Structures are given as C-alpha cells and as structure tokens.
Amino acid sequence: MKQFLSFVKKELYHILRDKRTLFILLGLPVTQILIFGFALTNEVKNAKIAVLDHSKDASSISLTTQIEASRYFDIVRDLHSQGDIDKAFKEGVIKMVMVLPQNFGQDLQHFNKAQVQVIADASDPNVATTLTNYATAIIMDYQDRITQERKLPYAINTELRMLYNPQLKGAYTFVPGVMALVLMLVCTMMTAITIVREKESGTMEIMLVSPMRPIMIIAAKAVPYLLLSMVNIASILLLSIFVLDVPLRGSLALLVFGSILFTLTCLSLGLLISSATNSQQTAMFISLVGLFLPTMMLSGFMFPIENMPLPLQIVSNAVPAKWFYKIVSSVMIKGLGIKAIWKETLILTGMMLLLLTLAIKKFKIRLA
C-alpha cells in the first residue's frame, strides 16, 4: 500500500508540474461552463427590427413604444412604404418588420379589433420563430393592458409571414453552416500536415535544393487540395439541392466563386500552420481543436453572434467561416447578388492574402 501511495504521489507531482495538463484538467471545464452558460445561448436579445407604421396614431405609437421597450428588440429603421420592406431585408441589417395598417387606432376604438403584420427573415428558422413569438407575446400583453381600461374586450390579430423560408426547414440553416464547417476542417487539416510531413520524413531537403522558389513549392502543395475541395463543393451543392430540397435562388457562379475564395483562405491557413509547426501531431491538433470549436461557436449558424458579449463578437470577426456562412446564406437562400456580399467577399480576400503571405514568410528554406 505504501508503494502504491508513493506512485500516486509521483503522478500527482507530474501533473502539478505540467502547466498545460493542469490547464486542460482544471481550466477547460471552468472556461466551457462560463462560455456555454453566459456567452453562447439561443436566446435572442436586442434583435434589430424595422417598423412600418401606416397609421401614426396614439395606439400604434403606444404599441411601437412597448415593442421598443422590451429587451428583445431594437428598432433601427422607420420604414415609409411597402417597397422598403424587401429592400431592408436584402441589406441584411434587420431580422423582422412590424407593419401597422392605416386606421389602426380607429379600428380598435370603433370595431374593438385591429390587425398587425409581423414579417420575419426565416433564413434562420430558429431565430425567426423566437422573434415572432416574442412579438406576439408583447402584442398580446398590449391588448390585455388596454382591455383592462375599457368595458369591451379588444382583439389584435397578429398575421405572421416568414420570408425566404415559409416552411421553416432546418436545412436552410444547416446547409450553409455545414458547408463552412466541412470546407474549413478538411482544407485546413489536409494542408496543415502536408509540409510538416515532408520535414518528418526527411524529404524536405530534396525540395529545398530544387530550383523552385518557396512560393511555387507552397502553391504546388495547395493545388491538389484545391481541386479535391472543388469536388467537395460540387458534392455538397448537389446533395443540398436534389436531396435536401434547399433552393439555389441566387447566382451559381457567385456561390462557386465565394466557395473557392473560402477554400483558398482555408488552404492558406493550413499552409501557415504547416510552416509554423514541426510535427504532424501538433499540426493536426491545432487544425482540429483550434479551428473546430471557433467554427462551431463563432460562425453564427449555431448561436446568434449578436447575443454574445462584445469581446466574443470581436473575436468572431477573425473566423473565416463567419463570413462564408453569410455569403452562402445570402446567395443560396435569399437570392442576393454581389451588392449584398461585397463586404464579406472583401474580408475573405484580405484574410486569404494575409494568411498566404505569413505562410510564405514562415516557410524555412534552411533546415535546423
């Protein structure tokens, strides 16, 4: 028994001396509880919405004020015509529009009933359902409040309309997200081990003495994976359209261009990891663990980024999958063009050039 306790004591000392193991054992659970408990939540707060008030009377203004006073909505647009609704949704700023018809207050006073239309962007069906439920509950609360002040009951009918995805299919959200996740992991992981494998197998010396410049060696490493990734993109799109019934409402050429740009960004990131590490195990660990969780949590297809604390929102901007998810969702589900995704395209281009430049600079032409 004494020998057994001595071995336990020895192992305990080993663990306490290894700070990385200690962090994984003690720090990781605490970090995950804090992140999942406070930062990552499906609850929608401060959603940006617009109001189209045709009535502009005391009742419609009172209802709008009650909507704005809640912590769930932030009214950022005051629309003036029905044509502004489609334009506002295409800009991608708002998630929902509340339309109050003409004579809203008079209908309540004279007929004891009125109608409100709520239009939601259902390209993300979970967020759209949550927002319409919040809006319906606030409208019902307003109805109950004004009914208590009168002898006759009031009835406000809420008409719901789901834009882009009226059937609320979950595949409309998961297809863009899975495309981003698969391409990110496959492209980055495969290229992350390509250069470091040459170092471990001892064949890097042969490549370094060849007349090819470092940039050509890196390009030669990336091209086969780019071709294989294009096969992956085609497979995912064909399965999404013909098996999952997800529509392609926008330009196919624009979607393919965005996918290739994202693939090049991932390949550049993989080459950077491969140039900066010295073992396949380390490269695989960084590309798998270091990219899988940020892509899942901070790309926006599982948890709304708008609800996260400001530091996580800032960090999410460095995740390429976030911008690609917006491109696929805008082009494929909403049918938007280059005017709607030029910012995301420009950011991905900048990321790709930065990562590729760093990969070339990190590529060592002399072995240690």
Side-chain angles (χ1 to χ4, degrees), residues 168-185:
L168 297 177
K169 289 185 176 179
Y172 283 47
T173 302
F174 279 96
V175 164
V178 169
M179 277 183 72
L181 187 64
V182 168
L183 290 177
M184 183 84 186
L185 290 181

Side-chain angles (χ1 to χ4, degrees), residues 83-126:
D84 292 342
I85 296 177
D86 191 47
K87 185 179 176 183
F89 275 117
K90 284 183 176 178
E91 289 177 1
V93 178
I94 59 168
K95 297 286 187 184
M96 193 188 80
V97 173
M98 184 175 71
V99 182
L100 297 162
Q102 284 186 342
N103 305 321
F104 176 79
Q106 290 185 22
D107 288 346
L108 273 178
Q109 294 294 330
H110 297 149
F111 305 108
N112 295 330
K113 63 180 181 181
Q115 192 163 13
V116 176
Q117 186 181 36
V118 174
I119 306 172
D121 177 358
S123 58
D124 188 336
N126 294 329

Side-chain angles (χ1 to χ4, degrees), residues 79-287:
L79 306 181
H80 303 288
S81 68
Q82 206 72 22
D84 292 342
I85 296 177
D86 191 47
K87 185 179 176 183
F89 275 117
K90 284 183 176 178
E91 289 177 1
V93 178
I94 59 168
K95 297 286 187 184
M96 193 188 80
V97 173
M98 184 175 71
V99 182
L100 297 162
Q102 284 186 342
N103 305 321
F104 176 79
Q106 290 185 22
D107 288 346
L108 273 178
Q109 294 294 330
H110 297 149
F111 305 108
N112 295 330
K113 63 180 181 181
Q115 192 163 13
V116 176
Q117 186 181 36
V118 174
I119 306 172
D121 177 358
S123 58
D124 188 336
N126 294 329
V127 173
T129 305
T130 305
L131 290 180
T132 52
N133 287 339
Y134 289 161
T136 304
I138 294 172
I139 292 170
M140 292 299 294
D141 182 64
Y142 173 77
Q143 174 189 294
D144 293 341
R145 184 168 60 82
I146 61 174
T147 298
Q148 291 174 0
E149 300 170 357
R150 303 283 181 175
K151 294 180 181 179
L152 295 176
Y154 287 113
I156 301 178
N157 297 322
T158 306
E159 179 192 346
L160 301 180
R161 181 184 166 198
M162 296 296 181
L163 213 60
Y164 306 123
N165 182 13
Q167 296 176 332
L168 297 177
K169 289 185 176 179
Y172 283 47
T173 302
F174 279 96
V175 164
V178 169
M179 277 183 72
L181 187 64
V182 168
L183 290 177
M184 183 84 186
L185 290 181
V186 171
C187 298
T188 307
M189 204 158 47
M190 290 298 102
T191 49
I193 60 175
T194 181
I195 292 177
V196 75
R197 184 171 52 201
E198 301 281 358
K199 296 178 187 174
E200 285 190 340
S201 61
T203 54
M204 181 57 77
E205 292 91 339
I206 301 172
M207 300 180 67
L208 292 177
V209 297
S210 70
M212 287 183 66
R213 297 170 59 189
I215 188 171
M216 297 304 292
I217 295 175
I218 290 178
K221 289 283 184 187
V223 167
Y225 294 106
L226 175 62
L227 296 176
L228 291 173
S229 299
M230 291 177 70
V231 175
N232 275 337
I233 293 169
S235 305
I236 293 172
L237 286 179
L238 289 174
L239 285 173
S240 303
I241 295 170
F242 294 107
V243 178
L244 298 175
D245 291 330
V246 178
L248 175 57
R249 296 195 175 105
S251 165
L252 175 62
L254 189 59
L255 183 61
V256 171
F257 171 74
S259 301
I260 293 176
L261 180 61
F262 178 66
T263 303
L264 289 173
T265 307
C266 297
L267 291 175
S268 302
L269 179 58
L271 289 171
L272 175 61
I273 294 172
S274 189
S275 300
T277 53
N278 294 316
S279 69
Q280 293 186 59
Q281 188 178 8
T282 307
M284 186 72 79
F285 179 80
I286 293 174
S287 58

Side-chain angles (χ1 to χ4, degrees), residues 43-58:
E43 185 185 8
V44 182
K45 293 177 288 186
N46 300 320
K48 294 179 180 177
I49 67 169
V51 173
L52 175 57
D53 188 355
H54 291 291
S55 184
K56 298 284 185 186
D57 55 32

Side-chain angles (χ1 to χ4, degrees), residues 283-357:
M284 186 72 79
F285 179 80
I286 293 174
S287 58
L288 187 61
V289 178
L291 296 177
F292 180 75
L293 288 179
T295 302
M296 287 283 290
M297 295 176 180
L298 303 177
S299 61
F301 88 95
M302 289 198 71
F303 304 99
I305 294 175
E306 295 82 4
N307 297 341
M308 297 178 186
L310 184 60
L312 278 185
Q313 290 188 32
I314 294 173
V315 171
S316 71
N317 293 325
V319 178
K322 170 188 172 180
W323 308 107
F324 179 63
Y325 174 73
K326 287 186 176 181
I327 290 175
V328 176
S329 181
S330 299
V331 176
M332 197 169 180
I333 308 300
K334 299 181 182 177
L336 305 182
I338 188 65
K339 288 183 180 177
I341 60 167
W342 67 269
K343 187 179 76 173
E344 289 78 8
T345 305
L346 202 63
I347 291 172
L348 274 184
T349 305
M351 282 184 173
M352 187 264 291
L353 292 176
L354 176 65
L355 291 169
L356 188 60
T357 305

